[in-house]
Structure formats: structure tokens, C-alpha cells
Amino acid sequence: MYLIANISSILSSFIVPILRSDVKCFNNDCYPLVFGLSTSLMFLSNIFFLAGQRFYKKDSKKENNAIFQTFGCIFSAIKNRLLHSSNKKKTSHWLEYANTKYSPEVIKDVKIFCKITKLIMPLTMFWALYKQ
């Protein structure tokens, strides 16, 4: 879906100016054709999206959802660290406190997620200030 959105964005940047300038309506450039075509294609894409809904894979278990696992692991680690702060048991990483509820693979993935998040957070501030 993301690929199709990017392809359509690239194609529209070439096709829309051609349609606007070459097709004449109301003795001027034809903006109604361009916006009407864009709107109708967006409406058509929503119809296709809804028509294919029965083919979507649905997993109703929250345990298999990556977002629930990630934030569940983070909150579990924080909670266990606060509850067991009096223990002298040291771990190599604060996320290791979630090992009672989450597998080592999930904990490793959440560690990578946290490292990536630390890298991306300054970028959002940069782009927000750059686009001002």
C-alpha cells in the first residue's frame, strides 16, 4: 500500500500539470478536471480497500501485536524494576527486568527499538525547525 501511494504521488506530479495545461475548460486551465480526477481516484481506492477487507489477516490476540508487545515489555520492565529496586540483583540492561513475562527475542527487539528511537527523536526536532 505504501509503495502504491508513492508511485501514484510520483505519477501525479507528471500527469497533473499535463492535464491542467493541455485540457481547456471554462477557457482556462482545467483545475476542476485535475481535482475531480484526484478525488474520484481516492474514492475508488477506498472502495477497493473496503472490498478486499474479507481477505485481510485478522489476529485478535493482543499478545501477537508488535505494538502491544513493545509497550507491554517497556511497562513491564519499568514496573518490575520499581518493585524490585530493593533487590541487589543487577541486570545488564533495564529491559531485562521484563524477562518474567516476555521472551529474550522480544526483549532484544525492544532494545533495538529503543536505540532507534533515541536516534530518530532529534531528527523530528530538526525537521520541525527546518520546515519553519
Side-chain angles (χ1 to χ4, degrees):
M1 181 116 173
Y2 184 73
L3 176 70
I4 298 297
N6 285 325
I7 289 172
S8 63
S9 174
I10 290 169
L11 287 176
S12 69
S13 56
F14 293 111
I15 294 173
V16 166
I18 293 170
L19 284 176
R20 181 190 52 81
S21 63
D22 290 350
V23 178
K24 301 293 180 191
C25 57
F26 309 117
N27 295 327
N28 286 328
D29 293 340
C30 198
Y31 287 103
L33 173 68
V34 172
F35 288 114
L37 181 64
S38 301
T39 303
S40 60
L41 289 176
M42 185 59 76
F43 182 71
L44 185 66
S45 70
N46 285 329
I47 289 173
F48 283 137
F49 182 74
L50 292 174
Q53 196 170 15
R54 61 188 170 120
F55 298 111
Y56 300 156
K57 181 181 175 186
K58 296 179 183 174
D59 192 3
S60 61
K61 296 179 182 177
K62 288 183 180 179
E63 299 89 37
N64 296 335
N65 188 326
I67 295 172
F68 283 115
Q69 279 187 344
T70 301
F71 289 105
C73 181
I74 290 170
F75 290 130
S76 176
I78 292 170
K79 182 181 81 171
N80 287 341
R81 185 172 181 178
L82 292 174
L83 289 176
H84 302 298
S85 63
S86 62
N87 291 350
K88 299 297 180 193
K89 179 183 169 186
K90 295 287 183 182
T91 60
S92 60
H93 195 271
W94 64 272
L95 279 169
E96 296 293 330
Y97 285 101
N99 64 358
T100 57
K101 191 174 180 182
Y102 293 94
S103 68
E105 293 85 21
V106 172
I107 293 172
K108 183 183 79 151
D109 291 343
V110 174
K111 285 179 186 178
I112 293 169
F113 170 77
C114 290
K115 288 178 183 177
I116 291 171
T117 303
K118 279 196 265 185
L119 287 174
I120 291 176
M121 289 304 284
L123 288 176
T124 53
M125 184 60 70
F126 167 77
W127 285 109
L129 294 172
Y130 180 76
K131 292 292 183 181
Q132 283 280 330

